[in-house]
Amino acid sequence: KFVNAKRIKHYPAIKICRLGVDVGHQDKGLGTLIVDTVKWYFLDNNKSGCRYITVDAHKDAVQFYKKNGFVELVETSHSLASDTTLMFYDLMALKQAI
């Protein structure tokens, strides 16, 4: 997704880790509410200087993150050696949308 000439070793990002919603409260929009809160928190006055939100999405959560605007860093099928897919959200996309 990043132009090779502009690739750097590190990108200013925050990482969502271990996000989950109790089974009894799923499909009520709570996960999306949490992710949206994180997006707006880091967009508002950019308290951290971060541009991206990253997540190692469990294979069962990839569609959830896609629905919330995240894209796979490398578009490949899930590796049998890994249960997660590295995904990111560009906060500039949200900023440009407002």
Side-chain angles (χ1 to χ4, degrees), residues 13-17 19 30-44 46-48 50-55 65 70 89 91 94:
I14 59 159
K15 186 169 204 140
I16 295 177
C17 300
L19 175 63
L30 294 175
T32 296
L33 178 64
I34 292 168
V35 170
D36 285 348
T37 300
V38 170
K39 288 176 184 176
W40 284 104
Y41 179 81
F42 283 95
L43 186 65
D44 183 35
N46 205 340
K47 296 163 187 62
S48 65
C50 291
R51 172 157 177 189
Y52 301 98
I53 301 173
T54 63
V55 62
Y65 285 106
F70 286 75
Y89 180 87
L91 288 167
L94 180 59

Side-chain angles (χ1 to χ4, degrees), residues 68-95:
N68 283 282
F70 286 75
V71 295
E72 295 179 33
L73 186 58
V74 179
E75 292 182 12
T76 59
S77 59
H78 299 289
S79 168
L80 296 176
S82 177
D83 289 336
T84 62
T85 299
L86 180 58
M87 302 180 80
F88 73 96
Y89 180 87
D90 187 350
L91 288 167
M92 291 303 291
L94 180 59
K95 188 173 186 174

Side-chain angles (χ1 to χ4, degrees), residues 4-32:
N4 281 336
K6 295 191 178 195
R7 284 186 186 249
I8 57 175
K9 285 183 144 183
H10 305 282
Y11 290 92
I14 59 159
K15 186 169 204 140
I16 295 177
C17 300
R18 308 272 192 237
L19 175 63
V21 175
D22 180 83
V23 175
H25 298 285
Q26 290 179 353
D27 299 320
K28 297 178 183 176
L30 294 175
T32 296

